[in-house]
Amino acid sequence: MSSVRPLEAADIDQVAALYLETFLRRGKSPSLDLITCLENFYLSGPTVDRQIPSLVHVNDKGAISGFVGVNVVPMKFSENRLRAAFGGTLMVRDREQDPMAGARLLKTFLSGPQDLSLSETANTTSLEMAKALRGVPFASYSLEWMRILKPAAFACDMALRKSSLRKWALPAARGLDWLHGWSGYAGGRVAKDAARTAKAEPVKHVDAEAFAGSVEILTSHYQLRPDWPGPQWRHVVREAFEKPLYGQPVAALVTGNGSPIGAFLYHLREGGVGRVLQMLALPGREGKVIDCLLADADRRGAAGLRGRTHPAFLEAMLGRNMMFANVTNTVAFCRDEAIIDCFRRGQALANGLAGESWGRHIGGNFT
């Protein structure tokens, strides 16, 4: 008979194989780097809470056939402290043979002692299960935004980013983009407008330590936010920098009168589409931060940018030629209606550094 139990160290090899099969599909055995990464994140890292463990589904033959990874984030809601548990990396092998495995994993996760349960990576199947279990999805946290800077290179990178043909097609795409820019392509003009606007707000590129040091002042206005001490924030940001599949990390503070008014962190492969992990801004400065981000990426030759929406930035994105799509969803489970209302009002900091996507298992190169 199948069962659900806490993840153990002896399970990691099987979990890594399932991860490779589900998300990377390379048909190979998991590398030692992947095994170590998952072990660190789900068994020994600073977001591990023994009372709220990651879970495995064991089939009637004793093999691991499912997994949900859990990382626990201490949060502050107004002046109250609580534990938020992010359940992600939900995966099940042979769903047809045991269609309830995913639901059992999710129900066991939700029965833990956490004050708030969250997912920022719920796909369509997980979303339907979450709704059946009274989860509340939030559209304003669940959209992926995209901004094209160089249309031909953008199309090339999106279509061939995992192909060896990319390095041959990209130079031709850049040539087409040069012709577009020379002819006054509207997207290029918007990028130049952003650059002019960004000149008024100095941008200082920083390392992981300096970026982590700015987070508290740039997030203190949120009613619900992570409540990590400094060393834990530094660990999270250092891990977030390491995403070689996405490219080199670019982190910067946007300053006004010598003090930070915003920040951004993204990863960029040469000539490709940058992946924005985090944008932060003091209230009313969101548009400035977006303009500085666009200008910075344009100067570095990025084909475009993509990232996850947050309500605080949505209005500022209007008029900046953004496109939006729904790929994965942010869902919350909580009996406290005041916390759910906090999300509805956009006063909760979630996703990115305040979620699970900062982990090195997302964007790592595990060949």
Side-chain angles (χ1 to χ4, degrees):
M1 184 175 179
S2 61
S3 62
V4 174
R5 61 166 173 80
L7 173 71
E8 300 172 356
D11 302 327
I12 285 295
D13 285 13
Q14 290 188 67
V15 170
L18 184 56
Y19 185 90
L20 199 65
E21 175 187 318
T22 304
F23 297 110
L24 303 179
R25 294 186 175 89
R26 289 178 181 162
K28 300 178 181 178
S29 299
S31 66
L32 179 60
D33 190 25
L34 175 59
I35 293 169
T36 302
C37 175
L38 294 177
E39 184 174 24
N40 289 341
F41 194 76
Y42 291 120
L43 281 173
S44 61
T47 60
V48 173
D49 187 325
R50 300 300 174 190
Q51 294 183 333
I52 314 170
S54 296
L55 302 166
V56 293
H57 185 274
V58 183
N59 65 21
D60 54 8
K61 296 180 181 178
I64 290 174
S65 58
F67 173 78
V68 61
V70 179
N71 64 302
V72 179
V73 179
M75 283 194 157
K76 183 178 284 189
F77 178 58
S78 297
E79 295 305 316
N80 300 316
R81 286 179 168 80
L82 52 82
R83 283 188 295 181
F86 283 82
T89 320
L90 178 63
M91 46 192 183
V92 175
R93 179 183 286 124
D94 299 327
R95 291 189 184 92
E96 296 80 9
Q97 296 182 19
D98 194 350
M100 296 305 294
R104 283 195 288 271
L105 281 165
L106 189 54
K107 286 182 72 173
T108 306
F109 162 62
L110 294 175
S111 68
Q114 62 267 27
D115 304 291
L116 169 65
S117 300
L118 292 158
S119 174
E120 63 168 314
T121 55
N123 60 19
T124 302
T125 303
S126 299
L127 179 62
E128 292 307 312
M129 284 194 295
K131 287 180 178 179
L133 294 169
R134 299 185 179 180
V136 181
F138 302 101
S140 56
Y141 288 85
S142 301
L143 296 174
E144 180 162 319
W145 61 267
M146 289 169 278
R147 175 62 165 87
I148 298 174
L149 295 172
K150 297 175 177 59
F154 186 94
C156 175
D157 192 62
M158 293 295 285
L160 302 174
R161 63 183 181 275
K162 295 182 180 180
S163 170
S164 59
L165 295 176
R166 178 183 181 274
K167 65 180 180 180
W168 304 106
L170 198 57
R174 287 174 176 167
L176 289 174
D177 287 323
W178 182 85
L179 290 174
H180 271 282
W182 179 76
S183 64
Y185 168 65
R189 291 199 302 272
V190 172
K192 291 176 183 177
D193 291 343
R196 283 195 293 269
T197 303
K199 285 181 180 179
E201 306 293 344
V203 171
K204 178 183 178 183
H205 291 94
V206 295
D207 60 12
E209 299 290 318
F211 192 92
S214 72
V215 170
E216 186 173 356
I217 190 172
L218 294 174
T219 60
S220 61
H221 58 284
Y222 287 104
Q223 187 179 7
L224 178 67
R225 61 192 185 278
D227 190 31
W228 280 322
Q232 211 159 342
W233 266 122
R234 289 192 289 274
H235 170 84
V236 167
V237 175
R238 282 197 300 267
E239 288 285 296
F241 267 49
E242 299 298 322
K243 296 186 179 294
L245 277 186
Y246 298 164
Q248 293 297 312
V250 180
L253 303 181
V254 182
T255 60
N257 297 322
S259 299
I261 63 167
F264 54 80
L265 168 61
Y266 68 100
H267 295 80
L268 180 65
R269 294 171 66 192
E270 183 181 0
V273 178
R275 290 177 177 256
V276 181
L277 178 66
Q278 190 70 62
M279 290 191 295
L280 298 170
L282 295 179
R285 300 301 188 98
E286 295 86 0
K288 296 290 187 183
V289 172
I290 293 172
D291 283 341
C292 289
L293 170 62
L294 292 175
D296 189 82
D298 193 45
R299 283 195 298 269
R300 293 172 185 271
L305 291 169
R306 59 190 292 191
R308 192 69 170 266
T309 56
H310 186 281
F313 285 88
L314 265 178
E315 185 175 348
M317 288 179 170
L318 298 178
R320 287 180 166 86
N321 284 13
M322 302 290 187
M323 299 184 297
F324 298 92
N326 177 224
V327 181
T328 56
N329 303 275
T330 297
V331 186
F333 305 81
C334 189
R335 291 189 179 91
D336 189 339
E337 186 60 32
I339 292 178
I340 297 297
D341 183 62
C342 181
F343 277 90
R344 291 193 177 109
R345 292 183 288 107
Q347 277 296 304
L349 182 65
N351 302 340
L353 296 177
E356 71 153 330
S357 55
W358 56 269
R360 198 167 64 84
H361 60 295
I362 299 176
N365 188 9
F366 303 111
T367 55

